[in-house]
């Protein structure tokens, strides 16, 4: 393979400006340090955040930008201090590739809440170079932020678990909502929502999917195994369902009123926000006061939780529902994702797209 000290180049698909159009872009990978893992990318899931980032929806985008943070790859080489991984291992890389390691969240192994965390793309690494994501032939990643994919799990099935899967698993674990017999609601049936249904069902919960239309009823009930389906504009059904849920996982990534959903929660129920929304949400305070209800948020999950979640999915035989595409389809996939025209996650076959040849 040559010396670990040699800088390598790789080709990814990058956005150059807020039009968000991606095209091939060749760039240098940093030297593989003692604690680094050099990963050849096999596949990478497309998350709604990728669309926000390439279009500068959050006002923080830097270009050229190679997105992608649901990365599955094969270890090609490891640094001299890496003991957990070896060449040939199938591994995953998620949303974060660095943290300060000394703050309270880092000390508590919830490094996703570190104020100095380094994003896997659209950020600056410790060497002063921009980070680039998984829609590329290869990545060099600190071994702390690499996770082993359980044996027998197909790479393309595992990809969405690294963001969508752990994003749901983490709050259910943290807020003590893993025990069976709970009644949960999943608001929005996209990439995160569909994993929410699957994980909550696997934990033994009664799961209600809440959506703005009847369009996804059949797939929610028949394909994903939800127990009930509520259309939020159906006032009668919404009223009948009042005070019935222990929690709602709110995955909607656009402005929406919270009050209709707060009314569905039982005493001490939790509305857990997961959609990235850059406009203020609103509610009237008695809606939370009169049921001691909580509006809270949760952000992806820690490396520890990612490992736990992958093991849980392996044990329960959980998979994600995906559509596999090649890299040259990525701009169309982004357009379709914006229209919610995917069941339920696009995964790019990076290795099959032969970027580095």
């Amino acid at each position: 393979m040559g010396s670990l000290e040699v800088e390598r180049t790789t080709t990814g698909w990058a956005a150059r400006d807020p039009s968000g159009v991606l095209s091939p872009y060749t760039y240098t990978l940093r030297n593989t340090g003692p604690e680094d893992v050099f990963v050849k990318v096999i596949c990478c899931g497309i998350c709604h955040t990728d669309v926000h980032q390439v279009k500068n929806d959050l006002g923080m985008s830097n270009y050229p930008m190679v997105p992608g943070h649901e990365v599955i790859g094969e270890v090609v080489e490891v640094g001299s201090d890496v003991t957990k991984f070896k060449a040939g291992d199938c591994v995953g890389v998620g949303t974060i590739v660095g943290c300060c390691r000394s703050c309270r969240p880092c000390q508590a192994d919830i490094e996703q809440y570190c104020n100095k965390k380094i994003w896997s793309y659209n950020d600056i690494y410790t060497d002063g170079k921009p980070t680039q994501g998984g829609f590329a032939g290869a990545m060099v990643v600190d071994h702390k932020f690499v996770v082993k994919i359980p044996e027998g799990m197909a790479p393309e099935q595992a990809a969405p678990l690294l963001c969508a899967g752990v994003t749901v698993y983490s709050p259910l674990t943290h807020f003590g909502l893993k025990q069976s017999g709970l009644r949960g609601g999943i608001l929005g049936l996209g990439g995160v929502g569909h994993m929410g249904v699957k994980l909550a069902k696997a934990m033994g919960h009664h799961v209600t999917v809440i959506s703005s239309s009847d369009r996804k009823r059949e797939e929610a009930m028949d394909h994903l195994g939800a127990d009930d389906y509520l259309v939020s504009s159906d006032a009668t059904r919404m009223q009948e369902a009042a005070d019935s849920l222990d929690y709602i996982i709110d995955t909607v990534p656009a402005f929406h009123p919270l009050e209709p959903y707060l009314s569905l929660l039982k005493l001490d129920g939790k509305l857990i926000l997961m959609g990235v929304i850059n406009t203020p949400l609103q509610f009237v305070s008695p809606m939370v006061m009169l049921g001691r209800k909580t509006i809270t948020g949760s952000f992806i999950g820690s490396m520890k939780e990612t490992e736990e979640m992958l093991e849980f999915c392996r044990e329960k035989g959980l998979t994600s529902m995906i559509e596999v595409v090649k890299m040259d389809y990525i701009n169309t996939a982004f357009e379709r994702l914006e229209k919610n025209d995917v069941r339920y996650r696009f995964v790019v076959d990076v290795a099959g797209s032969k970027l580095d040849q």
Side-chain angles (χ1 to χ4, degrees):
M1 282 309 302
S3 159
L4 279 177
E5 296 308 310
V6 177
E7 266 195 344
R8 305 176 172 93
T9 60
T10 191
T11 299
W13 277 53
R16 306 308 211 280
D17 56 54
S19 70
V21 175
L22 281 82
S23 57
Y25 168 62
T26 299
Y27 54 99
T28 304
L29 294 172
R30 73 170 185 270
N31 289 334
T32 312
E35 298 191 345
D36 285 335
V37 177
F38 176 61
V39 177
K40 180 176 183 285
V41 178
I42 297 169
C43 60
C44 184
I46 304 180
C47 173
H48 226 284
T49 308
D50 296 326
V51 177
H52 284 310
Q53 291 279 20
V54 296
K55 298 206 159 186
N56 197 25
D57 288 345
L58 307 173
M60 304 179 303
S61 297
N62 299 294
Y63 303 96
M65 179 202 302
V66 177
H69 61 226
E70 297 180 339
V71 191
I72 305 290
E74 181 186 332
V75 175
V76 176
E77 253 177 5
V78 299
S80 53
D81 295 349
V82 177
T83 54
K84 199 171 169 184
F85 306 102
K86 63 183 188 311
D89 283 351
C90 184
V91 296
V93 179
T95 314
I96 294 171
V97 294
C99 64
C100 79
R101 305 188 189 220
S102 57
C103 66
R104 196 171 135 238
C106 284
Q107 294 288 316
D109 284 331
I110 45 172
E111 63 288 327
Q112 73 271 33
Y113 298 111
C114 171
N115 287 332
K116 294 180 179 169
K117 62 182 163 286
I118 300 172
W119 305 98
S120 48
Y121 67 87
N122 194 35
D123 207 344
I124 301 295
Y125 202 64
T126 51
D127 60 3
K129 291 185 179 173
T131 59
Q132 302 290 10
F135 298 130
M139 293 176 83
V140 177
V141 186
D142 184 315
H143 70 126
K144 177 178 168 60
F145 298 94
V146 178
V147 66
K148 202 172 267 189
I149 302 303
E151 258 181 59
M153 199 178 265
E156 64 277 9
Q157 289 290 348
L161 300 178
L162 298 174
C163 173
V166 76
T167 292
V168 176
Y169 184 88
S170 176
L172 291 176
T173 305
H174 173 73
F175 293 116
L177 299 168
K178 270 176 84 175
Q179 71 268 35
S180 65
L182 294 178
R183 298 178 77 87
I186 306 291
L187 176 55
L189 198 59
V192 177
H194 103 280
M195 281 315 307
V197 176
K198 289 184 158 230
L199 283 163
K201 284 298 294 176
M203 289 171 183
H205 298 180
H206 178 284
V207 179
T208 300
V209 169
I210 310 157
S211 192
S212 56
S213 77
D214 225 10
R215 210 162 42 91
K216 295 183 179 177
R217 179 184 296 273
E218 187 186 332
E219 48 204 83
M221 307 283 284
D222 300 349
H223 302 171
L224 296 174
D227 300 287
D228 202 357
Y229 189 94
L230 272 179
V231 178
S232 51
S233 57
D234 184 340
T236 310
R237 286 277 285 119
M238 288 288 281
Q239 205 157 0
E240 287 167 2
D243 298 320
S244 68
L245 302 178
D246 294 293
Y247 67 87
I248 293 172
I249 292 210
D250 180 349
T251 72
V252 177
F255 176 83
H256 56 290
L258 299 184
E259 282 148 358
Y261 312 109
L262 288 167
S263 68
L264 301 175
L265 293 171
K266 295 178 183 176
L267 174 69
D268 289 327
K270 290 180 171 56
L271 177 64
I272 306 165
L273 301 175
M274 311 211 148
V276 176
I277 305 166
N278 54 6
T279 48
L281 301 177
Q282 58 195 53
F283 60 94
V284 294
S285 59
M287 291 291 300
V288 288
M289 291 162 59
L290 297 176
R292 202 164 59 191
K293 297 172 185 180
T294 305
I295 298 172
T296 186
S298 179
F299 175 64
I300 52 163
S302 65
M303 294 313 296
K304 231 179 194 171
E305 287 169 325
T306 304
E307 287 176 342
E308 263 178 46
M309 176 272 311
L310 286 168
E311 193 47 41
F312 179 82
C313 290
R314 188 194 64 77
E315 274 173 30
K316 302 285 184 182
L318 285 192
T319 54
S320 29
M321 286 176 75
I322 57 170
E323 181 178 333
V324 178
V325 299
K326 289 282 197 285
M327 190 66 87
D328 58 11
Y329 188 80
I330 196 164
N331 290 307
T332 308
F334 271 47
E335 282 167 25
R336 284 180 52 196
L337 176 57
E338 280 195 282
K339 298 177 198 151
N340 295 320
D341 175 25
V342 56
R343 299 293 174 268
Y344 285 91
R345 203 61 149 190
F346 282 115
V347 176
V348 178
D349 172 12
V350 177
S353 302
K354 300 184 169 36
L355 300 183
D356 278 344
Q357 286 185 10

